[in-house]
Every structure is written in structure tokens, then in C-alpha cells.
Coordinates of all heavy atoms in Angstrom, one line a residue:
M1 N -16.7 -34.7 17.7 CA -15.9 -33.8 16.9 C -16.7 -32.6 16.5 O -16.2 -31.5 16.4 CB -15.4 -34.6 15.7 CG -14.5 -33.8 14.8 SD -13.0 -33.5 15.7 CE -12.0 -32.9 14.4
R2 N -18.0 -32.8 16.1 CA -18.8 -31.8 15.7 C -19.1 -30.8 16.8 O -19.1 -29.6 16.6 CB -20.1 -32.4 15.2 CG -21.0 -31.4 14.5 CD -22.2 -32.1 13.9 NE -23.0 -31.2 13.2 CZ -24.1 -31.5 12.6 NH1 -24.5 -32.7 12.6 NH2 -24.8 -30.6 11.9
K3 N -19.3 -31.3 18.0 CA -19.5 -30.4 19.2 C -18.2 -29.6 19.4 O -18.4 -28.4 19.7 CB -19.8 -31.3 20.4 CG -20.3 -30.5 21.6 CD -20.7 -31.5 22.7 CE -21.3 -30.7 23.8 NZ -21.7 -31.6 24.9
F4 N -17.0 -30.1 19.3 CA -15.8 -29.4 19.5 C -15.7 -28.3 18.4 O -15.3 -27.1 18.8 CB -14.6 -30.4 19.4 CG -13.3 -29.6 19.4 CD1 -12.8 -29.1 20.6 CD2 -12.5 -29.5 18.3 CE1 -11.6 -28.5 20.7 CE2 -11.3 -28.8 18.3 CZ -10.8 -28.3 19.5
L5 N -16.0 -28.5 17.2 CA -15.9 -27.5 16.1 C -16.9 -26.4 16.4 O -16.6 -25.2 16.2 CB -16.1 -28.1 14.8 CG -15.0 -29.0 14.2 CD1 -15.4 -29.6 12.9 CD2 -13.7 -28.2 14.1
S6 N -18.1 -26.7 16.9 CA -19.1 -25.7 17.2 C -18.7 -24.8 18.3 O -18.8 -23.6 18.2 CB -20.5 -26.4 17.5 OG -21.0 -27.2 16.5
I7 N -18.1 -25.4 19.3 CA -17.7 -24.6 20.5 C -16.5 -23.8 20.0 O -16.4 -22.6 20.4 CB -17.3 -25.6 21.7 CG1 -18.5 -26.2 22.2 CG2 -16.5 -24.8 22.7 CD1 -18.3 -27.3 23.3
S8 N -15.6 -24.3 19.2 CA -14.4 -23.5 18.7 C -14.9 -22.3 17.9 O -14.4 -21.2 18.0 CB -13.5 -24.4 17.9 OG -13.0 -25.4 18.7
L9 N -15.8 -22.6 17.0 CA -16.4 -21.5 16.2 C -17.1 -20.4 17.0 O -16.9 -19.2 16.8 CB -17.4 -22.1 15.2 CG -18.0 -21.0 14.2 CD1 -16.9 -20.4 13.4 CD2 -19.0 -21.7 13.3
F10 N -17.8 -20.8 18.0 CA -18.5 -19.9 18.9 C -17.5 -19.1 19.7 O -17.6 -17.8 19.8 CB -19.4 -20.7 19.9 CG -20.0 -19.8 20.9 CD1 -21.1 -18.9 20.6 CD2 -19.6 -19.8 22.3 CE1 -21.6 -18.1 21.5 CE2 -20.1 -18.9 23.2 CZ -21.2 -18.1 22.9
L11 N -16.4 -19.7 20.2 CA -15.4 -18.9 20.9 C -14.6 -18.0 20.0 O -14.3 -16.9 20.4 CB -14.4 -19.9 21.6 CG -14.9 -20.7 22.8 CD1 -13.9 -21.7 23.3 CD2 -15.4 -19.8 23.9
L12 N -14.4 -18.4 18.7 CA -13.8 -17.5 17.8 C -14.6 -16.2 17.5 O -14.1 -15.1 17.5 CB -13.5 -18.2 16.5 CG -12.8 -17.4 15.4 CD1 -11.4 -17.0 15.8 CD2 -12.8 -18.2 14.1
V13 N -15.9 -16.5 17.3 CA -16.8 -15.3 17.1 C -16.9 -14.4 18.3 O -16.8 -13.2 18.2 CB -18.2 -15.8 16.7 CG1 -19.3 -14.7 16.7 CG2 -18.2 -16.5 15.3
L14 N -16.9 -15.0 19.5 CA -17.0 -14.3 20.7 C -15.7 -13.4 20.9 O -15.7 -12.3 21.2 CB -17.1 -15.2 21.9 CG -17.4 -14.6 23.3 CD1 -18.7 -13.8 23.3 CD2 -17.4 -15.7 24.3
H15 N -14.5 -14.0 20.6 CA -13.3 -13.3 20.7 C -13.2 -12.2 19.7 O -12.8 -11.1 20.1 CB -12.1 -14.3 20.5 CG -10.8 -13.6 20.4 ND1 -10.2 -13.1 21.5 CD2 -9.9 -13.4 19.4 CE1 -9.0 -12.5 21.2 NE2 -8.9 -12.7 19.9
T16 N -13.5 -12.4 18.5 CA -13.4 -11.3 17.5 C -14.4 -10.2 17.8 O -14.1 -9.0 17.6 CB -13.7 -11.9 16.1 OG1 -14.9 -12.5 16.0 CG2 -12.6 -12.8 15.6
T17 N -15.6 -10.5 18.3 CA -16.5 -9.5 18.7 C -16.0 -8.6 19.8 O -16.0 -7.4 19.8 CB -17.9 -10.1 19.1 OG1 -18.4 -10.9 18.0 CG2 -18.9 -9.0 19.4
Y18 N -15.4 -9.3 20.8 CA -14.8 -8.6 22.0 C -13.7 -7.7 21.5 O -13.6 -6.5 21.9 CB -14.3 -9.6 23.0 CG -13.5 -8.9 24.1 CD1 -14.2 -8.3 25.1 CD2 -12.2 -9.0 24.1 CE1 -13.5 -7.6 26.2 CE2 -11.4 -8.4 25.2 CZ -12.1 -7.7 26.2 OH -11.4 -7.1 27.2
Y19 N -12.8 -8.2 20.6 CA -11.7 -7.5 20.1 C -12.1 -6.2 19.3 O -11.6 -5.2 19.5 CB -10.8 -8.4 19.2 CG -9.5 -7.7 18.8 CD1 -8.4 -7.7 19.6 CD2 -9.5 -7.1 17.5 CE1 -7.2 -7.1 19.1 CE2 -8.3 -6.5 17.1 CZ -7.2 -6.5 17.9 OH -6.1 -5.9 17.5
D20 N -13.1 -6.4 18.5 CA -13.6 -5.3 17.7 C -14.2 -4.2 18.6 O -14.1 -3.0 18.3 CB -14.7 -5.8 16.7 CG -14.0 -6.4 15.5 OD1 -12.8 -6.2 15.3 OD2 -14.8 -7.1 14.7
L21 N -14.9 -4.6 19.6 CA -15.6 -3.6 20.5 C -14.6 -2.9 21.4 O -14.8 -1.7 21.8 CB -16.7 -4.3 21.3 CG -17.9 -4.8 20.5 CD1 -18.9 -5.5 21.4 CD2 -18.6 -3.6 19.8
T22 N -13.6 -3.6 21.8 CA -12.7 -2.9 22.8 C -11.5 -2.2 22.1 O -11.2 -1.1 22.4 CB -12.1 -4.0 23.8 OG1 -11.5 -5.0 23.0 CG2 -13.2 -4.5 24.7
I23 N -10.8 -2.9 21.2 CA -9.6 -2.3 20.5 C -10.0 -1.8 19.1 O -9.6 -0.7 18.7 CB -8.5 -3.4 20.4 CG1 -8.1 -3.8 21.8 CG2 -7.3 -2.8 19.7 CD1 -7.2 -5.0 21.9
G24 N -10.7 -2.6 18.4 CA -11.1 -2.2 17.1 C -10.1 -2.6 16.0 O -9.0 -2.8 16.3
T25 N -10.6 -2.7 14.8 CA -9.7 -3.2 13.7 C -9.4 -2.0 12.8 O -8.5 -2.1 12.0 CB -10.3 -4.3 12.9 OG1 -11.6 -3.9 12.4 CG2 -10.5 -5.5 13.8
L26 N -10.1 -0.9 12.8 CA -9.8 0.2 12.0 C -8.9 1.2 12.7 O -8.9 1.3 13.9 CB -11.1 0.9 11.6 CG -12.2 0.1 10.9 CD1 -13.4 0.9 10.7 CD2 -11.6 -0.3 9.5
A27 N -8.0 1.8 11.9 CA -7.1 2.8 12.4 C -7.9 4.0 12.9 O -8.8 4.5 12.2 CB -6.1 3.2 11.4
S28 N -7.6 4.5 14.1 CA -8.3 5.7 14.6 C -7.6 6.9 14.0 O -6.4 7.0 13.8 CB -8.2 5.7 16.1 OG -6.9 5.8 16.5
H29 N -8.4 7.9 13.7 CA -7.9 9.1 13.1 C -7.7 10.2 14.2 O -8.6 10.3 15.1 CB -8.8 9.7 12.1 CG -9.0 8.7 10.9 ND1 -8.0 8.5 10.0 CD2 -10.0 7.9 10.6 CE1 -8.4 7.6 9.1 NE2 -9.6 7.2 9.4
P30 N -6.6 10.9 14.3 CA -6.4 11.9 15.3 C -7.5 13.0 15.2 O -7.9 13.3 14.1 CB -5.0 12.4 15.1 CG -4.7 12.1 13.6 CD -5.5 10.9 13.3
V31 N -7.8 13.6 16.3 CA -8.8 14.7 16.3 C -8.0 15.9 15.9 O -6.9 16.3 16.4 CB -9.3 14.9 17.8 CG1 -10.3 16.0 17.8 CG2 -10.1 13.6 18.2
V32 N -8.6 16.7 15.0 CA -8.0 17.9 14.5 C -8.7 19.1 15.0 O -10.0 19.1 14.9 CB -8.0 17.9 12.9 CG1 -7.4 19.2 12.4 CG2 -7.3 16.7 12.4
S33 N -8.0 20.0 15.7 CA -8.7 21.1 16.2 C -8.4 22.3 15.3 O -7.3 22.4 14.7 CB -8.3 21.4 17.6 OG -6.9 21.6 17.7
V34 N -9.3 23.3 15.3 CA -9.1 24.5 14.5 C -8.4 25.5 15.3 O -8.9 25.8 16.4 CB -10.5 25.0 13.9 CG1 -10.3 26.3 13.2 CG2 -11.1 23.9 13.1
V35 N -7.3 26.1 14.8 CA -6.6 27.1 15.5 C -6.6 28.4 14.7 O -6.4 28.3 13.4 CB -5.2 26.7 15.8 CG1 -4.4 27.7 16.5 CG2 -5.2 25.4 16.6
D36 N -6.8 29.5 15.3 CA -6.8 30.7 14.5 C -5.4 31.1 14.2 O -4.6 31.5 15.0 CB -7.5 31.9 15.3 CG -9.0 31.7 15.5 OD1 -9.6 31.0 14.6 OD2 -9.5 32.2 16.5
K37 N -5.1 30.9 12.9 CA -3.7 31.3 12.4 C -3.9 32.0 11.1 O -4.9 31.8 10.4 CB -2.9 30.0 12.1 CG -2.4 29.3 13.3 CD -1.2 28.4 13.0 CE -1.6 27.1 12.3 NZ -0.5 26.2 12.2
P38 N -3.0 32.9 10.8 CA -3.1 33.5 9.5 C -3.1 32.5 8.3 O -2.4 31.4 8.5 CB -1.9 34.4 9.4 CG -1.0 34.1 10.5 CD -1.8 33.3 11.5
I39 N -3.8 32.7 7.3 CA -3.8 31.8 6.2 C -2.5 31.8 5.4 O -2.1 32.9 5.0 CB -5.0 32.1 5.2 CG1 -6.3 32.0 6.0 CG2 -5.0 31.2 4.0 CD1 -7.5 32.4 5.2
E40 N -1.9 30.7 5.3 CA -0.6 30.6 4.6 C -0.9 30.5 3.1 O -1.9 30.0 2.7 CB 0.2 29.4 5.1 CG 0.5 29.5 6.6 CD 1.3 28.3 7.0 OE1 1.6 27.4 6.2 OE2 1.4 28.1 8.2
K41 N 0.1 30.9 2.3 CA 0.0 30.8 0.9 C 0.0 29.3 0.5 O 0.8 28.6 1.0 CB 1.1 31.5 0.2 CG 1.1 31.5 -1.3 CD 2.2 32.2 -1.9 CE 2.2 32.1 -3.4 NZ 3.4 32.7 -4.0
E42 N -1.0 29.0 -0.3 CA -1.1 27.6 -0.7 C 0.2 27.2 -1.6 O 0.7 28.0 -2.3 CB -2.3 27.3 -1.5 CG -3.6 27.4 -0.7 CD -4.8 27.0 -1.5 OE1 -4.6 26.2 -2.5 OE2 -5.9 27.4 -1.1
A43 N 0.5 25.9 -1.4 CA 1.6 25.4 -2.2 C 1.3 25.3 -3.7 O 0.1 25.4 -4.0 CB 2.0 24.0 -1.7
E44 N 2.2 25.3 -4.5 CA 2.0 25.2 -6.0 C 1.1 23.9 -6.2 O 1.3 22.9 -5.6 CB 3.3 25.1 -6.7 CG 4.1 26.3 -6.7 CD 3.5 27.5 -7.5 OE1 2.9 27.2 -8.6 OE2 3.6 28.6 -7.0
P45 N 0.3 24.0 -7.2 CA -0.6 22.8 -7.5 C 0.1 21.7 -8.3 O -0.5 20.8 -8.7 CB -1.7 23.4 -8.3 CG -1.1 24.6 -9.0 CD -0.1 25.1 -8.0
F46 N 1.4 21.9 -8.5 CA 2.2 20.9 -9.2 C 3.6 20.9 -8.8 O 4.1 21.9 -8.2 CB 2.1 21.1 -10.8 CG 2.6 22.4 -11.2 CD1 4.0 22.5 -11.5 CD2 1.8 23.5 -11.4 CE1 4.5 23.8 -12.0 CE2 2.3 24.7 -11.8 CZ 3.6 24.9 -12.1
I47 N 4.3 19.8 -9.2 CA 5.8 19.7 -9.0 C 6.3 19.3 -10.3 O 5.7 18.5 -11.0 CB 6.1 18.6 -7.9 CG1 5.6 19.1 -6.6 CG2 7.6 18.4 -7.9 CD1 5.8 18.0 -5.5
I48 N 7.5 19.8 -10.7 CA 8.1 19.5 -12.0 C 9.1 18.3 -11.8 O 9.9 18.4 -10.9 CB 8.8 20.7 -12.6 CG1 7.8 21.8 -12.9 CG2 9.5 20.3 -13.9 CD1 8.4 23.1 -13.4
Y49 N 8.9 17.3 -12.5 CA 9.7 16.1 -12.5 C 10.3 15.8 -13.9 O 9.6 16.0 -14.9 CB 8.9 14.8 -12.0 CG 8.8 14.6 -10.6 CD1 7.6 14.7 -9.9 CD2 9.9 14.4 -9.8 CE1 7.4 14.6 -8.6 CE2 9.8 14.2 -8.4 CZ 8.6 14.3 -7.8 OH 8.4 14.1 -6.5
Q50 N 11.5 15.3 -13.9 CA 12.1 14.8 -15.1 C 11.9 13.3 -15.2 O 12.2 12.6 -14.2 CB 13.6 15.1 -15.2 CG 14.2 14.7 -16.5 CD 15.6 15.1 -16.6 OE1 16.2 15.5 -15.7 NE2 16.2 15.1 -17.8
V51 N 11.3 12.8 -16.2 CA 10.9 11.4 -16.4 C 12.1 10.6 -16.5 O 13.0 10.8 -17.4 CB 9.9 11.2 -17.5 CG1 9.6 9.8 -17.7 CG2 8.6 12.0 -17.3
Q52 N 12.2 9.5 -15.7 CA 13.3 8.5 -15.9 C 12.7 7.2 -16.5 O 11.4 7.1 -16.6 CB 13.8 8.2 -14.5 CG 14.3 9.4 -13.7 CD 15.5 10.0 -14.3 OE1 16.4 9.4 -14.8 NE2 15.5 11.4 -14.3
A53 N 13.5 6.3 -16.9 CA 13.0 5.1 -17.4 C 12.2 4.3 -16.4 O 12.6 4.2 -15.3 CB 14.2 4.2 -17.9
G54 N 11.0 3.9 -16.8 CA 10.2 3.1 -16.0 C 9.1 3.9 -15.2 O 8.2 3.4 -14.6
D55 N 9.2 5.3 -15.3 CA 8.3 6.1 -14.6 C 6.9 6.1 -15.4 O 6.9 6.1 -16.6 CB 8.8 7.6 -14.5 CG 9.8 7.7 -13.5 OD1 9.9 6.9 -12.5 OD2 10.6 8.7 -13.5
T56 N 5.9 6.2 -14.7 CA 4.5 6.4 -15.2 C 4.0 7.7 -14.5 O 4.5 8.1 -13.5 CB 3.6 5.2 -15.0 OG1 3.4 5.1 -13.6 CG2 4.2 4.0 -15.6
V57 N 2.9 8.2 -15.1 CA 2.3 9.3 -14.4 C 1.8 9.0 -13.0 O 2.0 9.7 -12.1 CB 1.1 9.9 -15.3 CG1 0.3 10.9 -14.6 CG2 1.6 10.4 -16.6
L58 N 1.2 7.8 -12.9 CA 0.7 7.3 -11.6 C 1.9 7.2 -10.6 O 1.8 7.6 -9.4 CB 0.0 6.0 -11.7 CG -0.8 5.5 -10.5 CD1 -1.8 6.6 -10.1 CD2 -1.4 4.2 -10.8
S59 N 3.0 6.7 -11.0 CA 4.2 6.5 -10.1 C 4.7 7.9 -9.7 O 5.2 8.1 -8.6 CB 5.3 5.7 -10.7 OG 5.9 6.3 -11.8
L60 N 4.7 8.9 -10.6 CA 5.2 10.2 -10.3 C 4.2 10.9 -9.4 O 4.7 11.6 -8.5 CB 5.3 11.0 -11.6 CG 6.4 10.5 -12.6 CD1 6.4 11.3 -13.9 CD2 7.8 10.6 -11.9
V61 N 2.9 10.7 -9.5 CA 1.9 11.3 -8.6 C 2.2 10.7 -7.2 O 2.1 11.4 -6.2 CB 0.5 11.1 -9.1 CG1 -0.5 11.4 -8.0 CG2 0.2 11.9 -10.3
E62 N 2.4 9.4 -7.1 CA 2.7 8.7 -5.8 C 4.0 9.3 -5.2 O 4.0 9.5 -4.0 CB 2.9 7.2 -6.0 CG 1.6 6.5 -6.2 CD 1.7 5.0 -6.5 OE1 2.8 4.6 -6.8 OE2 0.7 4.3 -6.4
K63 N 5.0 9.6 -6.0 CA 6.2 10.3 -5.5 C 5.9 11.7 -4.9 O 6.4 12.1 -3.9 CB 7.3 10.4 -6.5 CG 8.0 9.1 -6.9 CD 9.0 9.3 -8.0 CE 9.6 8.0 -8.5 NZ 10.5 8.2 -9.6
A64 N 5.1 12.4 -5.6 CA 4.8 13.8 -5.2 C 3.9 13.9 -4.0 O 4.0 14.8 -3.2 CB 4.2 14.5 -6.4
N65 N 3.0 12.9 -3.9 CA 1.9 13.0 -2.9 C 2.1 11.9 -1.8 O 1.4 12.0 -0.8 CB 0.5 12.9 -3.5 CG 0.3 14.0 -4.4 OD1 0.2 15.1 -4.0 ND2 0.2 13.7 -5.7
G66 N 2.9 10.9 -2.0 CA 3.0 9.8 -1.0 C 2.0 8.7 -1.3 O 2.3 7.5 -1.3
T67 N 0.7 9.0 -1.6 CA -0.3 8.1 -1.9 C -1.1 8.7 -3.1 O -0.9 9.8 -3.5 CB -1.2 7.7 -0.8 OG1 -1.9 9.0 -0.4 CG2 -0.5 7.1 0.4
V68 N -2.0 7.9 -3.6 CA -2.9 8.4 -4.6 C -4.2 8.8 -4.0 O -5.0 8.0 -3.7 CB -3.1 7.3 -5.7 CG1 -4.0 7.9 -6.8 CG2 -1.8 6.9 -6.3
P69 N -4.3 10.1 -3.7 CA -5.5 10.6 -3.0 C -6.8 10.8 -3.8 O -7.8 11.0 -3.2 CB -5.0 12.0 -2.4 CG -4.0 12.4 -3.4 CD -3.4 11.2 -4.0
V70 N -6.7 10.7 -5.1 CA -7.9 11.0 -5.9 C -8.0 9.9 -7.0 O -7.1 9.0 -7.1 CB -7.8 12.3 -6.7 CG1 -7.8 13.5 -5.7 CG2 -6.5 12.4 -7.5
S71 N -9.0 9.9 -7.8 CA -9.2 8.9 -8.8 C -8.2 9.0 -9.9 O -7.7 10.1 -10.2 CB -10.7 8.9 -9.3 OG -10.8 10.1 -10.1
I72 N -8.0 7.9 -10.6 CA -7.1 7.9 -11.7 C -7.6 8.9 -12.8 O -6.8 9.5 -13.5 CB -6.8 6.5 -12.2 CG1 -6.1 5.7 -11.1 CG2 -6.0 6.5 -13.5 CD1 -5.9 4.3 -11.4
D73 N -8.9 8.9 -13.0 CA -9.5 9.8 -14.1 C -9.1 11.2 -13.8 O -8.8 12.0 -14.7 CB -11.0 9.6 -14.1 CG -11.4 8.3 -14.7 OD1 -10.6 7.7 -15.5 OD2 -12.5 7.8 -14.3
K74 N -9.2 11.6 -12.5 CA -8.8 13.0 -12.1 C -7.4 13.3 -12.3 O -7.0 14.3 -12.8 CB -9.2 13.3 -10.7 CG -8.8 14.7 -10.2 CD -9.7 15.2 -9.2 CE -9.3 16.6 -8.7 NZ -9.3 17.6 -9.7
I75 N -6.5 12.3 -12.0 CA -5.1 12.4 -12.2 C -4.8 12.6 -13.7 O -4.0 13.5 -14.1 CB -4.3 11.2 -11.7 CG1 -4.4 11.2 -10.1 CG2 -2.9 11.2 -12.1 CD1 -3.9 9.9 -9.5
V76 N -5.4 11.8 -14.6 CA -5.2 11.9 -16.0 C -5.6 13.3 -16.5 O -4.9 14.0 -17.3 CB -5.9 10.8 -16.8 CG1 -6.0 11.0 -18.2 CG2 -5.3 9.5 -16.4
H77 N -6.8 13.7 -16.1 CA -7.3 15.0 -16.5 C -6.4 16.2 -16.1 O -6.1 17.1 -16.9 CB -8.7 15.2 -15.9 CG -9.3 16.6 -16.2 ND1 -9.2 17.6 -15.4 CD2 -10.0 17.0 -17.3 CE1 -9.7 18.7 -15.9 NE2 -10.2 18.4 -17.1
D78 N -6.0 16.1 -14.8 CA -5.1 17.2 -14.3 C -3.7 17.2 -15.0 O -3.2 18.3 -15.3 CB -4.9 17.1 -12.8 CG -6.2 17.3 -12.0 OD1 -7.1 17.9 -12.6 OD2 -6.2 17.0 -10.8
F79 N -3.2 16.0 -15.3 CA -1.9 15.9 -16.0 C -2.1 16.5 -17.4 O -1.2 17.3 -17.8 CB -1.5 14.5 -16.1 CG -0.1 14.3 -16.8 CD1 1.0 14.5 -16.1 CD2 -0.1 14.0 -18.1 CE1 2.3 14.4 -16.7 CE2 1.1 13.9 -18.8 CZ 2.3 14.1 -18.1
E80 N -3.1 16.2 -18.1 CA -3.4 16.7 -19.4 C -3.5 18.2 -19.4 O -3.1 18.9 -20.3 CB -4.6 16.0 -20.1 CG -4.3 14.6 -20.5 CD -5.5 13.9 -21.0 OE1 -6.7 14.4 -20.9 OE2 -5.4 12.8 -21.6
T81 N -4.2 18.7 -18.4 CA -4.5 20.1 -18.3 C -3.1 20.9 -18.0 O -2.9 21.9 -18.6 CB -5.4 20.4 -17.1 OG1 -6.7 19.7 -17.4 CG2 -5.7 21.9 -17.0
L82 N -2.3 20.4 -17.2 CA -1.0 21.0 -16.8 C 0.0 20.9 -18.0 O 0.8 21.9 -18.1 CB -0.4 20.4 -15.6 CG -1.1 20.7 -14.3 CD1 -0.5 19.9 -13.1 CD2 -1.0 22.2 -13.9
N83 N 0.0 19.9 -18.7 CA 1.0 19.6 -19.7 C 0.6 19.7 -21.2 O 1.5 19.6 -22.1 CB 1.7 18.3 -19.4 CG 2.4 18.3 -18.1 OD1 3.3 19.0 -17.8 ND2 1.8 17.5 -17.1
N84 N -0.7 19.7 -21.4 CA -1.2 19.6 -22.8 C -0.7 18.4 -23.5 O -0.4 18.4 -24.7 CB -0.9 20.9 -23.6 CG -1.5 22.1 -23.0 OD1 -2.6 22.0 -22.6 ND2 -0.8 23.2 -23.0
T85 N -0.5 17.3 -22.8 CA 0.0 16.0 -23.3 C -0.7 14.9 -22.6 O -0.9 14.9 -21.4 CB 1.5 15.9 -23.0 OG1 2.2 17.0 -23.5 CG2 2.1 14.6 -23.6
P86 N -1.2 13.9 -23.3 CA -1.8 12.7 -22.7 C -0.7 11.9 -21.9 O 0.4 11.9 -22.4 CB -2.4 11.9 -23.8 CG -1.8 12.5 -25.1 CD -1.3 13.8 -24.8
P87 N -1.1 11.3 -20.8 CA -0.1 10.5 -20.0 C 0.6 9.4 -20.8 O 1.6 9.0 -20.5 CB -0.9 10.0 -18.9 CG -2.1 10.8 -18.8 CD -2.4 11.3 -20.2
T88 N -0.1 8.9 -21.9 CA 0.5 7.8 -22.6 C 1.6 8.3 -23.6 O 2.3 7.5 -24.1 CB -0.6 7.2 -23.5 OG1 -1.2 8.1 -24.3 CG2 -1.6 6.5 -22.6
H89 N 1.9 9.6 -23.7 CA 2.9 10.1 -24.6 C 4.0 10.8 -23.8 O 4.8 11.6 -24.4 CB 2.3 11.1 -25.5 CG 1.3 10.5 -26.5 ND1 0.0 10.6 -26.4 CD2 1.6 9.8 -27.6 CE1 -0.6 10.0 -27.4 NE2 0.3 9.4 -28.2
I90 N 4.3 10.4 -22.6 CA 5.4 11.0 -21.9 C 6.7 10.4 -22.4 O 6.7 9.3 -22.9 CB 5.3 10.8 -20.3 CG1 5.3 9.4 -19.9 CG2 4.1 11.6 -19.8 CD1 5.4 9.1 -18.4
Q91 N 7.8 11.2 -22.3 CA 9.0 10.7 -22.9 C 10.1 10.8 -21.8 O 10.2 11.8 -21.0 CB 9.4 11.6 -24.1 CG 8.4 11.5 -25.2 CD 8.8 12.4 -26.4 OE1 9.7 13.2 -26.3 NE2 8.0 12.3 -27.5
I92 N 11.0 9.9 -21.9 CA 12.2 9.8 -20.9 C 13.0 11.1 -21.1 O 13.3 11.5 -22.3 CB 13.0 8.6 -21.1 CG1 12.1 7.3 -20.8 CG2 14.2 8.6 -20.2 CD1 12.8 6.0 -21.1
G93 N 13.4 11.7 -20.0 CA 14.3 12.9 -20.1 C 13.6 14.2 -20.1 O 14.2 15.2 -19.9
K94 N 12.3 14.2 -20.5 CA 11.6 15.5 -20.5 C 11.0 15.8 -19.1 O 10.7 14.9 -18.4 CB 10.4 15.4 -21.6 CG 10.9 15.5 -23.0 CD 9.8 15.8 -23.9 CE 10.3 16.0 -25.3 NZ 9.2 16.4 -26.2
E95 N 10.8 17.1 -18.9 CA 10.2 17.5 -17.6 C 8.7 17.7 -17.8 O 8.3 18.3 -18.8 CB 10.9 18.8 -17.1 CG 12.3 18.6 -16.7 CD 12.9 19.8 -16.1 OE1 12.4 20.9 -16.3 OE2 14.0 19.7 -15.5
Y96 N 7.9 17.3 -16.8 CA 6.5 17.4 -16.8 C 6.0 17.9 -15.5 O 6.7 17.7 -14.4 CB 5.8 16.1 -17.1 CG 6.1 15.5 -18.5 CD1 7.1 14.6 -18.7 CD2 5.3 16.0 -19.6 CE1 7.4 14.1 -20.0 CE2 5.6 15.5 -20.9 CZ 6.6 14.6 -21.1 OH 6.9 14.1 -22.3
R97 N 4.9 18.6 -15.5 CA 4.3 19.1 -14.3 C 3.4 18.0 -13.7 O 2.5 17.5 -14.4 CB 3.4 20.3 -14.5 CG 4.3 21.5 -15.0 CD 3.4 22.7 -15.3 NE 4.2 23.8 -15.8 CZ 3.7 24.8 -16.5 NH1 2.4 24.8 -16.8 NH2 4.5 25.7 -16.8
I98 N 3.7 17.6 -12.5 CA 2.9 16.5 -11.8 C 2.0 17.2 -10.8 O 2.5 17.9 -9.9 CB 3.8 15.5 -11.2 CG1 4.8 15.0 -12.2 CG2 3.0 14.4 -10.5 CD1 4.2 14.3 -13.4
P99 N 0.7 16.9 -10.9 CA -0.3 17.6 -9.9 C 0.0 17.1 -8.5 O 0.3 15.9 -8.3 CB -1.6 17.2 -10.5 CG -1.4 16.0 -11.3 CD 0.0 16.1 -11.8
T100 N -0.2 18.0 -7.6 CA -0.2 17.7 -6.1 C -1.5 17.9 -5.6 O -2.3 18.8 -6.0 CB 0.9 18.5 -5.4 OG1 0.6 19.9 -5.6 CG2 2.3 18.2 -5.9
Y101 N -1.9 17.1 -4.6 CA -3.2 17.2 -4.0 C -3.1 17.3 -2.5 O -2.2 16.9 -1.9 CB -4.0 15.9 -4.3 CG -4.2 15.7 -5.8 CD1 -3.3 14.8 -6.5 CD2 -5.1 16.4 -6.5 CE1 -3.5 14.6 -7.8 CE2 -5.2 16.2 -7.9 CZ -4.4 15.3 -8.5 OH -4.6 15.1 -9.9

């Protein structure tokens, strides 16, 4: 039984090594090439949202950006800078500027 487990473990390690080297487990990123184009005007650094019940600043940033691309500390700082209000004091029905990244 011990010999069977040793051989099974060895085959598992061999298989995972082969899989990692040939296919890989990390998502590959597409190659981005630089193309000479005129510089477009940057989008606004924020989107205005009206707060609904259950919304948080983090959930609104996820709606605006799809994912959370920066640290939560930066989101809090940017929200406070745009709105002069701490994220803990948002109110339902009011509109706030949500930073985009």
C-alpha cells in the first residue's frame, strides 16, 4: 500500500509539473503594441452616482470600474477628496462622486 501511494504521489507531481510547463496555470496577458495615435482626452476622474439602500463606497467603485484596481486606503482618500465627506457618512438618495481608475 505504501508503495502504491508513493508511486501515485510521484505521478501526480510529474503530471502537475508537465501541465505547468506546457499549458500553465496563470492567465496569459495579451501583448499590447504601441500605435501612434493622437492623444484622446482623458475621461473624467469620477462618475456621479445616487446612493441606493445597501450601497457602500466600495460597491460603487466596483460598479464604476468593474473591479477594485487600487487599495482601499486610496479609494477612501479619493472619495473624501472628491466629496468632502468620509465614506462612513454617505446617505441614501444623495449623489456622490465616485472615483474611476
Side-chain angles (χ1 to χ4, degrees):
M1 183 70 169
R2 188 174 187 180
K3 190 174 185 179
F4 175 73
L5 290 175
S6 298
I7 291 172
S8 297
L9 181 63
F10 176 74
L11 290 175
L12 178 67
V13 169
L14 188 65
H15 172 70
T16 55
T17 303
Y18 172 77
Y19 185 83
D20 284 343
L21 293 175
T22 56
I23 298 171
T25 55
L26 298 177
S28 61
H29 299 287
V31 176
V32 177
S33 61
V34 177
V35 179
D36 291 332
K37 287 199 284 188
I39 298 174
E40 297 177 10
K41 183 180 175 185
E42 290 188 22
E44 292 291 322
F46 61 87
I47 295 175
I48 297 176
Y49 275 114
Q50 184 175 13
V51 176
Q52 305 295 321
D55 283 341
T56 63
V57 172
L58 190 58
S59 69
L60 294 174
V61 169
E62 287 176 342
K63 286 180 189 177
N65 298 292
T67 59
V68 179
V70 295
S71 69
I72 294 175
D73 291 331
K74 176 148 179 62
I75 292 171
V76 168
H77 176 267
D78 292 345
F79 182 83
E80 288 176 346
T81 302
L82 288 171
N83 298 292
N84 296 323
T85 304
T88 56
H89 292 104
I90 63 173
Q91 297 176 356
I92 296 171
K94 286 196 173 184
E95 291 184 343
Y96 294 97
R97 296 176 181 163
I98 305 300
T100 57
Y101 302 98

